[in-house]
Amino acid sequence: MKNISRGEFIRLSGLTLAGALVSDVVFANDILLNHAAAKEDIQLIEKLILNNDAKVKSILNRTSVEPNIRVSNFRAEATSIATMAASISNRESEYYKSGFVTEKLNQSIDLLLKEQYADGTLDAGGNRQSPPDTAFILEYICMAAAILKNNKQVDLLLFKDKVKKFILNAGEAMITGGVHTPNHRWVICAALASINSLYPDARYVRRIDEWLAEGIYINDDGHYLERSGVYSAVIDKALITMARELNRPELLEIVHKNLMTYFYYTELNGDLVTVDSKRQDQFMSLKATKFYLQYRYMAIHTHNGIFAYMVNTIENMAEFTNDILSESLAFFMENEELRKQIPVKGTIDNDFEKFFAISNLARIRRGKTAVTLFGGNDQPVQIVSGRSSNPNFLMYRKGDSILKYMRLSTSFFRMGYFSSNGIEKEGNKYILKETKEADYYQPLAEEFRKADGDYKLSESPDGRFWNKMDFNSRIKSNVKKQITIIEITENNGVLSLDFKVDGPPNVEVTIEMCFNEGSTIKGDVMKEKNNYFLKSGLGELTMAGDTIQFGPGKCKHLNVENLDSEEYTYHQGSLRTNGEHVYITGFTPFRHIMTIG
């Protein structure tokens, strides 16, 4: 059988890519005829091959790790192995059966074997001998093994033996190892399912069932426990792997529910809403490319038009080449369903209002205007992984003009930003409320006194500080409360905001708006230390021809330092981000009505 050229490959647009995508399988006429009805997405596959080859070239040109330097993060190495395995096994790749790639593959797996502990684990940054981090590595190593399974290339035999050794060693860690976070359970289960597909062993399935017996949490909003874009994408991928490898299609129902939620969480340009995450991405910018393989698989598998729309959205993003085309050929080679053309149109009505009551988050889309409202932080607010603590209660977009966030802070005992205790929805009105309380403390009663003054180290009841004051044994007095209510009414993409802050008088109130970098700010504004203060009337933000109007303004003070609370400022930290910052300021009792549109 002769090899097929790239030009011939492109012209065979109505035929299967079995020969190009299955390891060391030739383009036999009977294969072409048997799979002609599959209608695979040949143009996409061609792009994947070209970009994967470019990635392989960069891997080959990369300086090898110095033998005396200890590596502590292996995901890049594992990804490189899968990337090279895809090209060396693909007839349309310029690296098909490449000796140079074989040599580099051996170097990479040797590094992993060298650093693999006797229990099968690897280190990952600060995580020592980590079963879950090893599971993330196995996603790519098992995929490489699956691609190479039918590859008869003689000089790959040694490499394949090494891969098998690494996987089986790691498999022992997957059977016995523990986890840190909720998503780790399903990553380990996916790794076990992949290992079992390659080297069946009943112990792998028993361990999967042990984890699954805990139940996979997904709430009515469609969120997993961590409510995180990063880890939702991870869990969806893991559940798809388990559904495929273990023939458990019921797991896809969970994936379907989560992907529907992230449709509503996706901006028109592919940015993801992250404000409500309970993990580190609540302060990060994420792209929908993280969900591409998941949406593609489910669009093909379920014929869901919304999922097809998401695939189209991601494929038209500027990040698609770097995030997907450069690193995904191996997934398409390992999973033939991904290669199929999507059987439904991705056309939808992109006008909606969706309230996620459990998360206390609302998403509104009116044409190219998008609104996000959030009031679902975990109470009391603490800055730690696993708890929601983002102070952004409003985000607003109109095309390329972006209000990255709106926040409110007061100088009330330096307790920091407003954080709503949920959201109440009344028709098209959303009501956010918060009560802050700060206390003073009376002398200890006689029975609690100590002559040496050495009392219990404890936290003050208002959560502001710790000291050896035995606070719980003291009577609170002079209690001060501040009540903040923000009512936001939406009408065809235009927002009306009504602010009320009541409590002790003469407390500084600051409304903070951060617009995307490079925006042009106009209006009756005063610029002070790279900040804008809107004194009166409407302000205007313009970016690439799109305009957001906001106001009227109010400027009663210029103190916009230390808005974050003592929890941050004590450590010289800040939540301020890059962007164009505009402030509206006043004093309690504070009343202000403004619009954004």
Side-chain angles (χ1 to χ4, degrees):
M1 297 291 181
K2 69 174 184 176
N3 289 346
I4 188 168
S5 70
R6 180 170 275 126
E8 290 171 316
F9 173 84
I10 295 171
R11 287 192 293 274
L12 288 170
S13 58
L15 301 176
T16 182
L17 292 186
L21 295 172
V22 179
S23 304
D24 209 34
V25 177
V26 296
F27 267 97
N29 287 335
D30 58 337
I31 293 176
L32 291 173
L33 291 172
N34 289 341
H35 292 268
K39 290 189 176 180
E40 299 184 354
D41 194 334
I42 292 190
Q43 288 186 336
L44 175 61
I45 302 302
E46 173 69 5
K47 292 176 183 177
L48 285 163
I49 294 170
L50 290 172
N51 282 276
N52 199 80
D53 280 358
K55 188 77 172 184
V56 171
K57 183 177 181 180
S58 69
I59 293 169
L60 295 177
N61 291 333
R62 196 165 61 201
T63 304
S64 298
V65 178
E66 290 290 333
N68 60 334
I69 299 296
R70 189 173 185 86
V71 178
S72 62
N73 197 327
F74 301 96
R75 291 201 195 185
E77 205 68 45
T79 304
S80 295
I81 287 174
T83 300
M84 290 187 286
S87 280
I88 202 171
S89 302
N90 194 299
R91 290 182 173 275
E92 291 306 308
S93 168
E94 64 179 281
Y95 295 104
Y96 180 57
K97 293 188 175 181
S98 164
F100 293 111
V101 173
T102 302
E103 182 180 349
K104 191 69 173 179
L105 280 167
N106 276 288
Q107 292 174 6
S108 294
I109 195 63
D110 286 343
L111 174 63
L112 294 185
L113 285 168
K114 173 176 172 284
E115 301 294 347
Q116 189 176 37
Y117 289 99
D119 67 355
T121 60
L122 293 167
D123 293 332
N127 294 339
R128 316 316 293 175
Q129 296 174 265
S130 169
D133 288 290
T134 305
F136 280 108
I137 300 302
L138 283 167
E139 176 185 10
Y140 293 92
I141 302 304
C142 289
M143 185 161 52
I147 292 169
L148 295 171
K149 189 173 184 179
N150 296 318
N151 191 315
K152 307 303 182 186
Q153 190 175 332
V154 175
D155 62 355
L156 281 174
L157 291 176
L158 178 60
F159 171 75
K160 290 164 71 173
D161 286 342
K162 293 174 183 177
V163 166
K164 182 177 181 180
K165 178 181 178 182
F166 177 86
I167 291 173
L168 292 177
N169 288 345
E172 296 304 308
M174 298 301 99
I175 292 172
T176 60
V179 302
H180 289 142
T181 59
N183 71 85
H184 285 172
R185 297 169 295 174
W186 319 130
V187 174
I188 282 180
C189 287
L192 286 163
S194 295
I195 300 171
N196 187 67
S197 178
L198 293 164
Y199 314 111
D201 186 327
R203 296 181 304 152
Y204 299 142
V205 180
R206 281 199 299 269
R207 185 62 166 179
I208 291 170
D209 288 336
E210 191 175 354
W211 285 116
L212 287 175
E214 295 187 2
I216 302 171
Y217 176 88
I218 188 164
N219 64 24
D220 288 343
D221 281 352
H223 280 300
Y224 300 118
L225 282 168
E226 292 160 293
R227 208 165 68 185
S228 156
V230 167
Y231 295 111
S232 290
V234 166
I235 294 172
D236 288 342
K237 190 186 289 187
L239 295 182
I240 289 171
T241 297
M242 283 190 275
R244 291 176 55 232
E245 302 290 8
L246 302 173
N247 191 26
R248 299 189 183 184
E250 65 275 10
L251 296 175
L252 298 180
E253 298 173 13
I254 302 172
V255 176
H256 185 283
K257 190 172 184 177
N258 183 252
L259 291 181
M260 284 298 299
T261 293
Y262 274 92
F263 158 70
Y264 291 108
Y265 273 54
T266 303
E267 303 287 8
L268 289 174
N269 69 345
D271 289 347
L272 289 179
V273 171
T274 63
V275 65
D276 61 334
S277 172
K278 294 174 181 284
R279 297 296 304 277
Q280 67 271 22
D281 53 319
Q282 64 184 282
F283 299 110
M284 294 166 55
S285 296
L286 295 183
K287 297 292 183 180
T289 49
K290 286 189 173 293
F291 287 91
Y292 176 72
L293 296 173
Q294 300 88 319
Y295 274 119
R296 184 174 185 87
Y297 178 84
M298 293 295 286
I300 293 167
H301 195 75
T302 67
H303 296 200
N304 184 295
I306 289 179
F307 297 165
Y309 163 83
M310 289 300 296
V311 171
N312 293 338
T313 296
I314 296 169
E315 288 181 347
N316 285 294
M317 290 171 58
E319 295 82 4
F320 182 64
T321 296
N322 185 64
D323 292 358
I324 302 299
L325 293 179
S326 296
E327 297 188 347
S328 297
L329 178 62
F331 289 98
F332 282 73
M333 291 178 67
E334 188 270 336
N335 180 1
E336 64 179 13
E337 193 153 4
L338 288 173
R339 306 197 295 262
K340 296 176 183 177
Q341 293 180 6
I342 295 176
V344 292
K345 297 289 186 183
T347 54
I348 62 169
D349 182 5
N350 224 338
D351 187 290
F352 59 76
E353 180 175 4
K354 182 75 171 176
F355 181 44
F356 296 92
I358 299 173
S359 306
N360 286 288
L361 182 140
R363 284 282 293 157
I364 304 169
R365 171 89 35 80
R366 309 295 184 208
K368 65 178 182 179
T369 297
V371 179
T372 305
L373 305 176
F374 177 57
N377 279 331
D378 295 309
Q379 302 292 336
V381 175
Q382 293 180 352
I383 315 303
V384 64
S385 180
R387 291 179 68 86
S388 176
S389 58
N390 196 310
N392 304 347
F393 67 85
L394 167 64
M395 286 65 66
Y396 187 93
R397 295 182 177 220
K398 185 184 287 184
D400 289 323
S401 286
I402 300 174
L403 171 59
K404 295 168 65 174
Y405 58 77
M406 176 181 279
R407 301 171 177 170
L408 183 143
S409 184
T410 75
S411 61
F412 180 79
F413 291 87
R414 294 299 174 199
M415 295 180 76
Y417 284 114
F418 166 84
S419 182
S420 183
N421 188 19
I423 294 180
E424 297 176 23
K425 187 177 188 301
E426 297 179 358
N428 64 338
K429 179 189 292 185
Y430 295 86
I431 304 169
L432 295 82
K433 298 179 180 179
E434 181 199 43
T435 299
K436 280 182 162 63
E437 179 179 302
D439 312 318
Y440 294 89
Y441 308 97
Q442 291 293 311
L444 285 168
E446 183 176 357
E447 64 266 29
F448 299 116
R449 296 170 189 165
K450 293 183 177 182
D452 63 359
D454 189 9
Y455 298 101
K456 178 183 177 182
L457 177 66
S458 60
E459 183 180 20
S460 64
D462 56 22
R464 292 193 295 131
F465 51 84
W466 286 71
N467 217 312
K468 299 186 81 171
M469 291 274 290
D470 192 11
F471 288 109
N472 291 334
S473 299
R474 297 177 184 271
I475 296 173
K476 294 190 295 185
S477 69
N478 310 88
V479 176
K480 304 301 178 185
K481 289 188 178 182
Q482 177 180 274
I483 299 172
T484 302
I485 300 174
I486 305 173
E487 297 182 354
I488 303 173
T489 304
E490 185 268 338
N491 185 7
N492 197 29
V494 177
L495 302 182
S496 174
L497 296 91
D498 187 353
F499 296 89
K500 304 181 185 73
V501 185
D502 288 306
N506 302 314
V507 172
E508 295 164 332
V509 179
T510 304
I511 299 170
E512 178 183 18
M513 292 173 280
C514 178
F515 297 96
N516 51 336
E517 298 89 325
S519 302
T520 300
I521 307 293
K522 295 181 180 178
D524 184 16
V525 293
M526 173 175 59
K527 195 167 185 181
E528 178 83 12
K529 296 181 180 178
N530 295 320
N531 296 316
Y532 294 92
F533 291 84
L534 183 62
K535 296 190 289 184
S536 64
L538 292 178
E540 189 173 279
L541 157 80
T542 302
M543 174 69 85
D546 294 311
T547 299
I548 296 174
Q549 288 189 328
F550 54 94
K554 177 186 286 188
C555 183
K556 298 299 183 180
H557 69 81
L558 301 179
N559 184 11
V560 294
E561 305 293 330
N562 303 323
L563 299 178
D564 306 273
S565 82
E566 289 184 11
E567 189 167 8
Y568 280 90
T569 54
Y570 181 80
H571 296 282
Q572 290 78 53
S574 174
L575 285 169
R576 181 183 170 103
T577 69
N578 294 331
E580 309 299 334
H581 291 257
V582 181
Y583 295 94
I584 293 174
T585 63
F587 292 91
T588 56
F590 182 79
R591 298 287 184 278
H592 191 66
I593 296 175
M594 63 179 292
T595 61
I596 299 176

